[in-house]
Amino acid sequence: MDRKTVNVGIESKKEVPAEALAAARHKLGEHNGINMSIEASNTFTFKDSDAMNRAFLGEVGPKTGIYIYSRHLNPTILNLGRQIAAMEGTETAYCTASGMSAISSVFLQLCNTGGHVVAAKTLFGGSHALLTHFLPQKCNITTTFVDIVDLEEVDKAMIEGKTSVLYFESISNPTLIVANIPELSKIAHAKGVKVVVDNTFAPMILSPAKLGADVVVHSISKYISGEADIIAGAVCGPADIVDQMRDPHEGPLMLLGPTMNPKVAFEISGRIPHLSMRMKKHCKRAMKYVTKMKELDPNLDVLYPGLKEHPQHSLLNSMSNKDYGFGGVFCIDMKTEGRAYRLMDKLQNSTKFGFMGVSLGYYETLMTCSSRSTNSMMDNKEKESAGISPGLVRFSVGYVGTFEQKWSQFTKAYSEM
Ligand SMILES: *Cc1c(COP(=O)(O)O)cnc(C)c1O
């Protein structure tokens, strides 16, 4: 299948920016309201018993405006899915109650008991725990963790006929390693392995499906929501995978039921049109901070793919969509946990630079000491191997306030260290 072509009603080649595609998905409301309507019903009626029968046989469905039950399909959630699919350049997408439910459902769809996954060792803490503990214990699905930058290691770890998924984050959490999506996809596809990419850190910036990935997952709770008020997720990919996940007899979305609330889908839908603007602002501000920080203290260890010395700086540059930067997250290494905590305390409580919090993608800056928070479930060896040092402070850069005001708040706190 040609993944570059998405049927969104406009010519959708790679050159057409994601924001144009997402805008093409705009639906009017039931009474010509300029926003789409919310279909809050969980069950739907039929014009007669024959129509009901045909709906259950799968002969009619959403294409003809026929729905059965909202755990299966809901028109409002479907509309949001269309926007997200357009943004990611995938054939279809469906939204879920959380990022974790999107991720776990994809593994349960693509792997059977006895199956095998190859995954990057630098992953969001929850995904790492899912692969390390839950899936082997409950489903006998095992994972080999690899250094995602080492293509040879990735290739060797995939066992033809046994491995079904190669899983990694486009930009990893919290170590900001950028995955070579085109090369990784080539290696995986040569062995019949599906490539699943978590693009939570880089919506709009990267389009993994256009670069070769089969399935893209999101935690909508982060940038896409943008207000740190919603937990939600999405699975984007070809219909033969995503639609199957809603199969009434076998699909994990249908049977485990991590269903999104249509009122939440409506909320999120209204935020997609300004996601592109917000992402550009996050990226621009992050780049400005790291540049100034390197000037302020040349010895400070700053981790950001926008810096020329970042090992995947040019790789990210070559893969990213035009006019976006290098992401809205950077890390600084304060070397010890004590110094990391002291800096965060000052930044939150004395200079009001930002908030301590584990999430990301908020309009204010959020800070976290990864080794003690989002990655606390990893043991010390796992952390060391993933490059998560004890004093690593992750900043999810906000864009409110003037840069000058925010920078003076940072320098004041840093000078007191
Ligand atoms: C937050 C996050 C998740 C999990 O998403 P939830 O919406 O919290 O379930 C998965 N992957 C990454 C990279 C995340 O940052």
Side-chain angles (χ1 to χ4, degrees):
M1 189 182 60
D2 179 8
R3 294 198 199 294
K4 285 184 184 151
T5 319
V6 193
N7 181 19
V8 289
I10 60 171
E11 202 56 35
S12 50
K13 298 273 157 48
K14 184 163 169 24
E15 310 79 66
V16 179
E19 57 261 47
L21 295 174
R25 281 302 197 192
H26 192 96
K27 286 252 188 250
L28 289 182
E30 193 184 357
H31 307 285
N32 288 328
I34 54 171
N35 289 301
M36 73 175 182
S37 299
I38 307 177
E39 179 49 79
S41 300
N42 67 6
T43 193
F44 300 83
T45 190
F46 308 91
K47 83 175 187 318
D48 53 31
S49 57
D50 181 54
M52 186 172 187
N53 226 349
R54 291 179 52 201
F56 276 89
L57 290 170
E59 293 172 10
V60 290
K63 284 201 180 89
T64 43
I66 302 210
Y67 296 87
I68 300 172
Y69 187 60
S70 283
R71 174 158 44 77
H72 179 236
L73 269 178
N74 171 284
T76 311
I77 301 166
L78 201 54
N79 277 340
L80 175 64
R82 289 188 182 111
Q83 286 176 292
I84 305 248
M87 174 183 96
E88 283 299 347
T90 55
E91 188 181 6
T92 189
Y94 205 65
C95 296
T96 59
S98 66
M100 280 316 297
S101 63
I103 294 165
S104 52
S105 299
V106 169
F107 283 121
L108 292 172
Q109 179 65 28
L110 297 178
C111 307
N112 291 325
T113 178
H116 182 243
V117 173
V118 172
K121 61 186 169 198
T122 48
L123 286 182
F124 172 71
S127 309
H128 193 271
L130 177 74
L131 293 167
T132 311
H133 304 295
F134 189 96
L135 288 177
Q137 282 162 19
K138 306 282 183 189
C139 312
N140 191 24
I141 296 166
T142 55
T143 296
T144 304
F145 288 100
V146 292
D147 175 0
I148 206 67
V149 171
D150 186 342
L151 300 178
E152 213 174 282
E153 188 185 344
V154 177
D155 189 21
K156 281 199 186 121
M158 287 184 291
I159 308 157
E160 206 163 352
K162 182 169 163 74
T163 309
S164 48
V165 173
L166 172 63
Y167 182 74
F168 55 88
E169 293 168 4
S170 51
I171 301 180
S172 81
N173 177 41
T175 48
L176 309 180
I177 293 168
V178 182
N180 190 337
I181 303 170
E183 284 304 316
L184 288 162
S185 301
K186 261 187 234 157
I187 299 173
H189 292 156
K191 291 193 171 172
V193 174
K194 292 268 190 277
V195 177
V196 180
V197 180
D198 181 336
N199 200 28
T200 301
F201 269 51
M204 295 281 180
I205 302 171
L206 285 170
S207 305
K210 290 179 183 170
L211 297 166
D214 299 284
V215 176
V216 181
V217 288
H218 271 289
S219 168
I220 289 178
S221 323
K222 314 294 167 55
Y223 286 109
I224 300 178
S225 123
E227 289 184 33
D229 59 340
I230 282 172
I231 299 286
V235 180
C236 318
D240 64 0
I241 295 176
V242 180
D243 291 355
Q244 279 298 310
M245 292 175 72
R246 283 186 279 95
D247 182 90
H249 306 294
E250 292 177 3
L253 291 180
M254 184 67 177
L255 298 177
L256 302 178
T259 313
M260 179 181 272
N261 182 328
K263 292 165 195 165
V264 168
F266 176 82
E267 279 271 332
I268 298 163
S269 169
R271 302 177 194 185
I272 306 286
H274 47 75
L275 176 61
S276 129
M277 258 156 50
R278 289 188 277 117
M279 288 315 295
K280 286 177 183 170
K281 279 198 172 270
H282 283 294
C283 292
K284 212 168 155 187
R285 187 68 59 104
M287 190 70 216
K288 227 165 153 176
Y289 278 136
V290 299
T291 310
K292 292 289 253 184
M293 278 176 196
K294 295 294 280 184
E295 283 170 21
L296 181 72
D297 180 358
N299 293 322
L300 180 66
D301 243 334
V302 185
L303 192 61
Y304 185 64
L307 291 170
K308 288 214 165 55
E309 63 261 33
H310 187 283
Q312 292 97 38
H313 172 76
S314 50
L315 171 67
L316 179 53
N317 211 10
S318 73
M319 293 192 299
S320 62
N321 291 318
K322 199 169 160 278
D323 296 334
Y324 290 86
F326 297 86
V329 175
F330 69 83
C331 297
I332 60 178
D333 192 348
M334 297 302 289
K335 304 298 175 197
T336 66
E337 213 172 273
R339 277 170 53 81
Y341 285 155
R342 207 140 61 85
L343 179 66
M344 289 198 298
D345 278 331
K346 281 183 193 299
L347 287 171
Q348 174 176 290
N349 298 328
S350 95
T351 72
K352 319 279 183 216
F353 174 78
F355 298 111
M356 284 180 257
V358 292
S359 194
L360 56 118
Y362 190 44
Y363 50 77
E364 292 274 7
T365 295
L366 296 176
M367 309 169 286
T368 174
C369 180
S370 298
S371 85
R372 281 283 160 186
S373 56
T374 48
N375 295 79
S376 58
M377 60 284 267
M378 294 167 97
D379 63 32
N380 286 341
K381 222 177 113 204
E382 286 172 330
K383 279 183 209 164
E384 197 188 304
S385 142
I388 302 165
S389 79
L392 197 72
V393 182
R394 184 185 83 182
F395 291 80
S396 163
V397 175
Y399 51 75
V400 293
T402 66
F403 181 79
E404 289 66 30
Q405 169 199 21
K406 286 287 152 193
W407 181 241
S408 77
Q409 290 168 335
F410 182 85
T411 48
K412 185 162 184 306
Y414 194 74
S415 71
E416 290 168 10
M417 284 301 292

